[in-house]
Amino acid sequence: MKRVLITGAAGFLGSHLSDRFIKEGYRVVGMDNLITGSMKNIEHLMPLENFEFYHHDVSRYVHVAGDIDYILHFASPASPIDYLKIPIQTLKVGSLGTHNLLGLARSKNARMLIASTSEVYGDPLVHPQTEDYWGNVNPIGPRGVYDEAKRFQEAITMAYHTFHGLETRIVRIFNTYGPRMRLDDGRVLPAFIGQALQGKDLTVFGDGSQTRSFCYVDDLVEGIYRLLFSNHAQPVNIGNPDEITINQFAEEIIKLTGTSQKVIYVDLPKDDPKQRQPDISKAKEILGWEPKVSRAEGLKITYEYFKKVLS
Ligand code: UDP
């Protein structure tokens, strides 16, 4: 039985990945320091013989006894609100944490996949974003702590690949949503649904003309799964290219929830990217992957989840 270490296992993406690898017959070692993750996300896995959990901060030395075949590094604060609150931890987990895990991967002869992000493109001047675009990032702006940690993470991962011959994979994740997102993580989807459910107006930042492209979590997990088992060490975008403005998105949430609340406009945060849409030609070609879940379907499932959480 192959054994996979998933960092950030109690988080939104880490917990869905843990589910998938358990389902595929792997032994999963979950690791999380629980600063943004929650044991609730993995409580159903805890009784399983094939699931182990370590409460540990991967920015400190990581020790795991026994063999490990794959490492998926998904530990990191990932919403603008979170990384503004904990900027130093965000920098450390992407840099020191990644270094520790690369060392572990070498010592175990494991393949390592890192969770990178569309934030490496910053406020992009190329649209849609292709993997060969180098990005437009402000290193000292509020998002710099996340963006630069992720850019360093890609750099050190590629260095371990070229210098040490380590098997590595890099996924650039675009906006993803689904059950187990935190209602209070400040991201636009939980913010809007939470506001609608709690009888508050929906806060659109800026004039709402900025765009995002939202991918349902099951589609993302499928893309990551395929990438891990591909032989492609270069970065691959995984996301849903169905792009909309935040204004349109607010309208969709108002319709979906049937709320009588309105949209209110508040200040746009500094360095908020104006447009974002993945070019997924590479994922299509190399992995035979494209998203299957429409926003209408995905939003319905996610709305039901948030309703349950709030009741
Ligand atoms: N946004 C918004 N209202 C909110 C939260 C976010 O209008 O209550 C906007 C935000 O300014 C950004 C987009 O929605 O343009 C997506 O924000 P999010 O924090 O979800 O992720 P990002 O893609 O910016 O990392």
Side-chain angles (χ1 to χ4, degrees):
M1 232 180 179
K2 299 270 188 198
R3 195 158 173 245
V4 48
L5 169 64
I6 301 179
T7 74
F12 167 45
L13 297 182
S15 65
H16 283 282
L17 284 163
S18 298
D19 284 349
R20 176 66 187 262
F21 278 87
I22 287 285
K23 203 176 116 200
E24 300 285 349
Y26 288 79
R27 292 176 58 199
V28 173
V29 180
M31 198 171 272
D32 206 298
N33 68 354
L34 301 175
I35 55 171
T36 58
S38 161
M39 289 307 288
K40 262 222 133 348
N41 292 336
I42 49 170
E43 64 184 357
H44 59 291
L45 296 176
M46 294 302 280
L48 304 183
E49 204 187 310
N50 289 338
F51 186 76
E52 301 163 72
F53 180 74
Y54 295 98
H55 184 193
H56 181 70
D57 179 351
V58 298
S59 300
R60 293 166 48 204
Y61 186 82
V62 182
H63 170 75
V64 179
D67 290 345
I68 296 179
D69 302 285
Y70 304 102
I71 298 176
L72 279 75
H73 183 24
F74 278 71
S76 178
S79 83
I81 292 246
D82 284 345
Y83 48 75
L84 280 177
K85 252 191 270 172
I86 38 177
I88 314 288
Q89 287 96 323
T90 303
L91 279 158
K92 282 170 76 177
V93 73
S95 54
L96 308 181
T98 302
H99 187 213
N100 288 336
L101 293 161
L102 285 164
L104 183 69
R106 263 191 94 199
S107 76
K108 303 281 186 188
N109 202 15
R111 182 179 294 184
M112 169 126 159
L113 181 147
I114 57 150
S116 189
T117 164
S118 55
E119 286 283 323
V120 300
Y121 303 124
D123 190 0
L125 306 176
V126 165
H127 192 74
Q129 291 77 57
T130 45
E131 287 89 347
D132 56 9
Y133 177 50
W134 294 350
N136 176 38
V137 171
N138 175 3
I140 55 165
R143 289 175 177 256
V145 295
Y146 184 64
D147 300 7
E148 295 297 358
K150 291 293 185 181
R151 289 169 68 97
F152 174 87
Q153 180 181 46
E154 288 198 8
I156 193 170
T157 298
M158 206 37 94
Y160 267 67
H161 175 69
T162 49
F163 188 73
H164 289 308
L166 189 73
E167 286 252 39
T168 55
R169 305 288 179 265
I170 300 175
V171 56
R172 289 190 181 148
I173 298 170
F174 284 67
N175 295 67
T176 301
Y177 68 97
R180 301 190 194 145
M181 282 186 105
R182 264 178 29 233
L183 255 181
D184 65 347
D185 82 356
R187 284 195 181 103
V188 67
L189 184 144
F192 284 176
I193 293 186
Q195 286 159 347
L197 284 171
Q198 292 166 323
K200 297 178 188 155
D201 288 332
L202 278 60
T203 52
V204 168
F205 296 171
D207 65 5
S209 65
Q210 70 272 35
T211 69
R212 293 295 185 272
S213 310
F214 298 96
C215 184
Y216 187 64
V217 63
D218 289 357
D219 282 332
L220 183 90
V221 166
E222 178 62 30
I224 290 169
Y225 193 82
R226 290 188 191 201
L227 176 61
L228 179 66
F229 297 110
S230 75
N231 56 13
H232 195 77
Q234 298 297 314
V236 179
N237 289 340
I238 298 285
N240 190 324
D242 187 0
E243 179 186 16
I244 52 166
T245 67
I246 296 304
N247 275 326
Q248 290 168 324
F249 191 58
E251 286 313 317
E252 284 190 7
I253 300 293
I254 287 172
K255 254 202 211 127
L256 171 77
T257 58
T259 177
S260 50
Q261 302 301 135
K262 303 265 164 314
V263 160
I264 50 167
Y265 291 91
V266 300
D267 285 349
L268 186 69
K270 186 169 159 47
D271 298 338
D272 196 287
K274 282 181 274 308
Q275 49 181 4
R276 183 181 287 156
Q277 182 193 35
D279 181 315
I280 59 165
S281 316
K282 200 170 169 183
K284 276 187 184 160
E285 189 191 318
I286 292 169
L287 312 176
W289 174 89
E290 61 183 324
K292 298 258 183 299
V293 183
S294 70
R295 204 167 49 245
E297 294 169 84
L299 283 181
K300 244 183 106 188
I301 300 168
T302 311
Y303 176 47
E304 292 307 319
Y305 168 79
F306 282 131
K307 270 204 288 202
K308 240 195 255 154
V309 168
L310 275 178
S311 63

Coordinates of all heavy atoms in Angstrom, one line a residue, residues 80 119 143 175 186-188 191-192 203-205 210 212 246 268-269 272 276, ligand 1:
P80 N -7.0 36.2 1.2 CA -6.3 37.5 1.5 C -6.5 37.9 3.0 O -5.6 38.4 3.6 CB -7.0 38.4 0.6 CG -7.4 37.6 -0.6 CD -7.8 36.2 0.0
E119 N -1.9 33.4 -7.9 CA -1.3 34.6 -7.4 C 0.1 34.8 -7.8 O 0.7 36.0 -7.7 CB -1.4 34.6 -5.9 CG -2.7 34.9 -5.3 CD -3.2 36.4 -5.3 OE1 -2.3 37.3 -5.1 OE2 -4.3 36.6 -5.6
R143 N -0.4 41.6 -0.5 CA -0.5 40.2 -1.0 C 0.9 39.6 -1.2 O 1.1 38.4 -1.5 CB -1.2 40.1 -2.4 CG -2.7 40.4 -2.3 CD -3.3 40.5 -3.7 NE -4.7 40.6 -3.6 CZ -5.6 39.6 -3.8 NH1 -5.2 38.5 -4.2 NH2 -6.9 39.9 -3.7
N175 N -9.0 30.3 -8.4 CA -10.0 30.3 -7.4 C -10.9 29.0 -7.4 O -11.4 28.7 -8.4 CB -11.0 31.5 -7.7 CG -10.2 32.8 -7.5 OD1 -9.3 33.2 -8.2 ND2 -10.6 33.6 -6.5
G186 N -13.2 35.3 4.4 CA -13.1 36.6 3.7 C -13.2 36.4 2.2 O -13.3 37.4 1.5
R187 N -13.1 35.2 1.7 CA -13.2 35.1 0.3 C -14.6 35.4 -0.2 O -15.6 35.4 0.5 CB -12.9 33.7 -0.1 CG -11.4 33.3 -0.1 CD -11.3 32.1 -0.8 NE -9.9 31.6 -0.8 CZ -9.5 30.6 -0.1 NH1 -10.3 30.0 0.8 NH2 -8.2 30.2 -0.2
V188 N -14.7 35.8 -1.5 CA -15.9 36.3 -2.0 C -17.1 35.4 -1.9 O -18.2 35.8 -1.6 CB -15.7 36.9 -3.5 CG1 -15.4 35.8 -4.5 CG2 -16.9 37.7 -3.9
A191 N -18.2 34.9 1.7 CA -18.7 36.2 2.1 C -20.1 36.4 1.6 O -21.0 36.7 2.4 CB -17.7 37.3 1.6
F192 N -20.3 36.3 0.3 CA -21.6 36.6 -0.3 C -22.7 35.6 0.2 O -23.8 36.0 0.6 CB -21.5 36.5 -1.8 CG -20.9 37.7 -2.5 CD1 -20.7 37.7 -3.9 CD2 -20.5 38.8 -1.8 CE1 -20.1 38.7 -4.5 CE2 -19.9 39.9 -2.4 CZ -19.7 39.8 -3.8
T203 N -21.3 42.6 0.1 CA -20.2 43.6 0.0 C -19.4 43.4 -1.3 O -18.5 42.5 -1.3 CB -19.3 43.6 1.2 OG1 -18.8 42.2 1.4 CG2 -20.0 44.0 2.5
V204 N -19.6 44.2 -2.3 CA -18.8 44.1 -3.5 C -17.6 45.1 -3.3 O -17.8 46.3 -3.0 CB -19.6 44.5 -4.8 CG1 -18.6 44.7 -6.0 CG2 -20.6 43.4 -5.1
F205 N -16.4 44.6 -3.5 CA -15.2 45.5 -3.4 C -15.0 46.2 -4.7 O -15.0 45.6 -5.7 CB -14.0 44.7 -3.0 CG -14.1 44.0 -1.6 CD1 -13.1 43.0 -1.3 CD2 -15.1 44.2 -0.7 CE1 -13.2 42.4 0.0 CE2 -15.2 43.6 0.5 CZ -14.2 42.7 0.9
Q210 N -14.0 43.8 -11.6 CA -12.9 42.8 -11.6 C -13.5 41.4 -11.9 O -14.6 41.1 -11.5 CB -12.1 42.8 -10.3 CG -12.7 42.3 -9.1 CD -13.5 43.4 -8.3 OE1 -14.1 44.3 -8.9 NE2 -13.6 43.3 -7.0
R212 N -13.1 37.0 -11.9 CA -12.5 35.7 -11.4 C -13.2 34.6 -12.1 O -14.2 34.7 -12.8 CB -12.8 35.6 -9.9 CG -12.1 36.6 -9.0 CD -10.6 36.5 -9.0 NE -9.9 37.4 -8.0 CZ -9.6 38.6 -8.3 NH1 -9.9 39.2 -9.5 NH2 -9.0 39.4 -7.4
I246 N -17.3 40.3 -10.6 CA -17.8 40.1 -9.3 C -19.2 40.6 -9.2 O -20.0 40.1 -8.4 CB -16.8 40.8 -8.3 CG1 -15.4 40.1 -8.3 CG2 -17.4 40.8 -6.8 CD1 -15.5 38.6 -8.0
L268 N -12.0 48.9 -2.7 CA -11.2 47.8 -3.3 C -9.9 47.7 -2.5 O -9.2 48.6 -2.3 CB -11.0 48.1 -4.7 CG -10.3 47.0 -5.6 CD1 -11.3 45.8 -5.8 CD2 -9.8 47.5 -6.9
P269 N -9.6 46.4 -2.0 CA -8.3 46.3 -1.3 C -7.1 46.5 -2.3 O -7.3 46.4 -3.5 CB -8.3 44.8 -0.9 CG -9.7 44.3 -1.1 CD -10.4 45.2 -2.1
D272 N -5.6 44.3 -5.6 CA -6.6 43.3 -6.0 C -6.5 43.1 -7.5 O -6.7 44.0 -8.3 CB -8.0 43.8 -5.6 CG -9.1 42.7 -5.6 OD1 -9.5 42.3 -6.7 OD2 -9.5 42.4 -4.5
R276 N -8.8 37.6 -13.9 CA -8.2 36.3 -13.7 C -8.9 35.2 -14.4 O -10.1 35.1 -14.2 CB -8.0 36.0 -12.2 CG -7.3 34.7 -12.0 CD -7.2 34.4 -10.5 NE -6.2 35.3 -9.8 CZ -6.3 35.5 -8.5 NH1 -7.3 35.0 -7.8 NH2 -5.4 36.3 -7.9
Ligands
UDP1 N1 -14.6 40.5 -3.1 C1 -15.7 41.2 -2.9 N2 -16.4 41.2 -1.8 C2 -16.0 40.4 -0.7 C3 -14.8 39.6 -0.8 C4 -14.1 39.7 -2.0 O1 -16.1 41.9 -3.8 O2 -16.7 40.4 0.3 C5 -13.8 40.5 -4.3 C6 -12.3 40.8 -4.2 O3 -12.0 42.1 -4.1 C7 -11.8 40.1 -5.4 C8 -12.7 38.9 -5.7 O4 -13.9 39.3 -4.9 O5 -11.8 41.0 -6.5 C9 -12.2 37.6 -5.2 O6 -11.8 37.7 -3.9 P1 -11.3 36.5 -3.0 O7 -10.8 37.1 -1.7 O8 -12.3 35.5 -3.0 O9 -10.0 35.9 -3.8 P2 -8.8 36.5 -4.6 O10 -9.1 35.9 -6.0 O11 -8.8 38.0 -4.6 O12 -7.6 35.9 -4.0

